[in-house]
Amino acid sequence: MTEPVGLPALEQALDALTARVLSLREARSSYPADPRSTLDAALAELDTARELLDAALRELRRTPRRSGERENGAQRELKLLRQVFKTFPVPVAVLDGSGVVRRISAETSRMLGSPAGYLIGRSFPLFVDVSRRAAFRSHLTAVQQSGQTATFQTRLAHQGRAHTVQLALVRLTMPGEPHAMTAVVILPLEAQVAEAPPGTADRSDAALILASARRQELLSRMTRLLLDEESLRQPVTVTRASRLLAAEAADWVIADVVRDGTPRRACVFGPSDRPVTDLVRLVEGLNPLRAPLIAHVLTGGSGVVHEMVEDEGLLGAAGDGPPLLRVMGAASVLCVPIGGEDGPAGSLTLVRLRDREPFSLADLGVLQEIGVHLGLAVRARRSFQNRSQAADALRTSVVPRSLPDIPGFEAAAIYHAGSSPVGAEFYDVFPSADGWGFALGGAAGKGEEAASVSALVRNGLRVLSVWESDPGQALRRLNQALAAQHSGMFVMALAGFVKGRRIRLASAGHHPAALLRPDGTVRFTAGGGVPLGISPDAETFDEELTLAAGQMLVFYSDGLVASRNDEGEAYGEMRLADVLARCVSQSPATVVKTVEEDRHAFSGGRVWDEIVVLALRVV
């Protein structure tokens, strides 16, 4: 077809081409085992399609442009172009000099899975396989400069669809356009569709609602993950969130956090079904600020989405090599900030490859919300850690990490903090001026204030034991100090100073100790007195004991005897005495463990108030 033809002849040729292409498709479906003959014929039809485009152009150039026929000629030109794009059975796209799509046929949109007109304004080379993208640009430039037709085989990918195609590039000189354009005729040789059937992308209301529901489900799962106790206790918040996003929303996830004012790479997750370990390690070692996209998000504080990657340098280069996005095979990228108090606390960068649907503005909105939630979770974890460390420090101030060796005695203790993260009960064993001493007690109340008062009493007894040989006098001095503060806090305490086998006990409103003899009998000491801090003139109750070999003193907190069962009955001192009577000749460690196991069985494992049991046995 070398001579110009009229519009009717063009229309007839297009109709005939449509019929032949339809026949080839039917033959390919009917005889899949013999693709070669079908392929050869399809390539021949590609040449025919190219010739038809040439003929259409010649027809456009031949159209007279006399002043009286201007309107009629323009209408005829538009009609011809519309007819070509409407009836052409082979996908066609018209590109400008830089490769941007200016016109696209319905068949091309159908093949790539996009709505009509969606791809106009996009860079066509972005659909071309990364490995052949540079070669395509070279062919495109050569066709535009020389005017000679070129053919090119590659893969096109978009919206989760991948096609092996033969491209024919033809230079166009179009009416009304100051510069030449290029028509790209696309002949699919092989198609691969991931998670979607062939045809136009589903943009129905039902599909949009389903996509929105999936995004909300991702947000819900992320919220549950961030509120999980493990995320609050361990520094794994960003890593766990990134792992979820890699599994549900992207092929690559890169998380960066700002520490001491400097962005640092926190974690990198690549496609689990591909051998990318070396690339993951390379990305882990890159400086986040060398990636223009990440630097922009960290500086500006707002998220960015590139539905189609046009600038492959957005994430910088893979070391000294090519752009990182090219090495990844990226088609779509999204980056959002991690919320901070005074600006971004980091960023999340998500990358999708060419065989997946690209990110959209809706994805950007959800990921920005996730970035806000993640920032809140990171701050909550830090606050939780600070409070936990403070609680540990307070707990250490009221409970010794271990008991010292006591000459002539064996000692053991148990401690449960109860329902409060910071316990107000304390116990201690320490050296004194004439031997060694011990103490037990707790402030009335819970939380940090009660724990700090208990710590004051415990440490005060340690200090006073250096000068005082009488535990009662030491408690009275502490009572005067507490009463002078007018804090409204009072402390039930018991202290004992030991010299040899003689023990001087002093009680300020505390439970009596239980004395277990080798014959299995149990008796309780006097106990009593007025709690510390109520009145500056309050008296303690003092008592002196001399223990024989094998005898054991057991001290306990109110949380033990006040524990209740399902019927509301208190554990009580009588049950404690029965349990101790069964522990004759047992070590202090065994005794305190037996008491705790019995209390646990009695109360069904519930612990409300702090429980302390301290046992001392003469050896």
Side-chain angles (χ1 to χ4, degrees), residues 98-129:
S98 61
V100 174
V101 177
R102 293 305 181 191
R103 293 180 178 85
I104 193 166
S105 68
E107 183 68 14
T108 310
S109 296
R110 184 202 67 78
M111 184 190 76
L112 295 178
S114 295
Y118 175 78
L119 298 179
I120 293 177
R122 309 284 184 174
S123 176
F124 188 84
L126 296 179
F127 307 127
V128 176
D129 188 72

Side-chain angles (χ1 to χ4, degrees), residues 390-400 415 422-428 430 439-464 475 478 481-482 485 487 489-493 532 610:
D392 289 342
L394 279 173
R395 190 176 298 115
T396 302
S397 70
V398 295
V399 178
Y415 173 84
V422 181
E425 291 286 340
F426 70 90
Y427 73 92
D428 200 8
F430 49 86
L440 194 78
K446 295 180 180 295
E448 297 173 1
E449 184 180 6
S452 63
V453 173
S454 292
L456 184 150
V457 173
R458 178 203 177 202
N459 295 325
L461 282 171
R462 276 180 168 255
V463 173
L464 290 171
L475 287 178
L478 284 171
L482 284 177
Q485 292 182 9
S487 65
M489 301 289 292
F490 62 91
V491 180
M492 295 176 289
L532 306 177
E610 299 99 307

Side-chain angles (χ1 to χ4, degrees), residues 100-275:
V100 174
V101 177
R102 293 305 181 191
R103 293 180 178 85
I104 193 166
S105 68
E107 183 68 14
T108 310
S109 296
R110 184 202 67 78
M111 184 190 76
L112 295 178
S114 295
Y118 175 78
L119 298 179
I120 293 177
R122 309 284 184 174
S123 176
F124 188 84
L126 296 179
F127 307 127
V128 176
D129 188 72
V130 175
S131 63
R132 308 217 65 197
R133 195 172 289 172
F136 174 81
R137 289 193 173 103
S138 297
H139 279 282
L140 181 64
T141 301
V143 169
Q144 291 171 346
Q145 292 177 349
S146 67
Q148 296 182 353
T149 301
T151 59
F152 185 76
Q153 184 170 325
T154 185
R155 290 176 74 251
L156 297 182
H158 182 58
Q159 295 281 16
R161 304 159 185 267
H163 303 266
T164 300
V165 299
Q166 186 81 13
L167 303 180
L169 285 70
V170 182
R171 189 175 72 178
L172 301 178
T173 302
M174 302 182 65
E177 294 289 349
H179 302 289
M181 295 194 178
T182 302
V184 179
V185 184
I186 307 166
L187 178 64
L189 306 179
E190 180 182 354
Q192 298 173 350
V193 180
E195 301 179 358
T200 304
D202 190 354
R203 302 288 171 175
S204 65
D205 290 343
L208 294 176
I209 291 173
L210 181 59
S212 177
R214 288 172 178 166
R215 295 185 185 99
Q216 291 303 315
E217 173 64 18
L218 175 62
L219 182 59
S220 176
R221 290 183 61 185
M222 182 64 71
T223 301
R224 290 196 298 269
L225 180 147
L226 296 179
L227 292 176
D228 182 76
E229 185 175 354
E230 182 181 355
S231 294
L232 291 175
R233 290 188 178 277
Q234 302 295 330
V236 295
T237 310
V238 173
T239 301
R240 296 183 75 201
S242 300
R243 184 179 292 111
L244 175 60
L245 292 175
E248 300 294 334
D251 295 295
W252 284 87
V253 176
I254 303 171
D256 298 300
V257 297
V258 177
R259 296 194 187 102
D260 301 325
T262 303
R264 304 177 188 276
R265 189 126 294 169
C267 59
V268 177
F269 291 95
S272 58
D273 59 343
R274 305 190 185 192

Side-chain angles (χ1 to χ4, degrees), residues 566-587:
D566 293 337
E567 285 73 35
E569 299 171 338
Y571 186 81
E573 291 172 343
M574 294 303 297
R575 185 181 179 96
L576 173 62
D578 292 340
V579 174
L580 293 176
R582 300 195 299 268
C583 296
V584 175
S585 302
Q586 299 294 320
S587 68

Side-chain angles (χ1 to χ4, degrees), residues 213-389:
R214 288 172 178 166
R215 295 185 185 99
Q216 291 303 315
E217 173 64 18
L218 175 62
L219 182 59
S220 176
R221 290 183 61 185
M222 182 64 71
T223 301
R224 290 196 298 269
L225 180 147
L226 296 179
L227 292 176
D228 182 76
E229 185 175 354
E230 182 181 355
S231 294
L232 291 175
R233 290 188 178 277
Q234 302 295 330
V236 295
T237 310
V238 173
T239 301
R240 296 183 75 201
S242 300
R243 184 179 292 111
L244 175 60
L245 292 175
E248 300 294 334
D251 295 295
W252 284 87
V253 176
I254 303 171
D256 298 300
V257 297
V258 177
R259 296 194 187 102
D260 301 325
T262 303
R264 304 177 188 276
R265 189 126 294 169
C267 59
V268 177
F269 291 95
S272 58
D273 59 343
R274 305 190 185 192
V276 293
T277 303
D278 291 341
L279 184 56
V280 168
R281 291 173 180 167
L282 185 149
V283 177
E284 288 174 342
L286 297 178
N287 182 351
L289 292 180
R290 299 292 296 274
L293 176 61
I294 296 174
H296 172 77
V297 169
L298 291 176
T299 303
S302 60
V304 177
V305 60
H306 291 267
E307 296 182 50
M308 299 175 65
V309 175
E310 299 187 29
D311 180 4
E312 293 179 331
L314 288 172
L315 294 187
D320 297 329
L324 181 59
L325 288 176
R326 181 186 302 172
V327 178
M328 288 178 170
S332 184
V333 62
L334 180 154
C335 186
V336 296
I338 297 174
E341 294 179 314
D342 301 316
S347 64
L348 290 172
T349 305
L350 282 68
V351 175
R352 284 181 180 171
L353 305 185
R354 299 172 60 80
D355 55 355
R356 293 186 63 170
E357 184 175 350
F359 291 113
S360 65
L361 289 176
D363 295 316
L364 176 63
V366 171
L367 265 297
Q368 288 197 133
E369 189 71 15
I370 287 176
V372 172
H373 289 188
L374 182 55
L376 292 172
V378 169
R379 296 202 296 276
R381 183 188 63 77
R382 290 173 181 167
S383 176
F384 184 88
Q385 270 194 328
N386 292 337
R387 292 182 64 85
S388 179
Q389 291 170 357

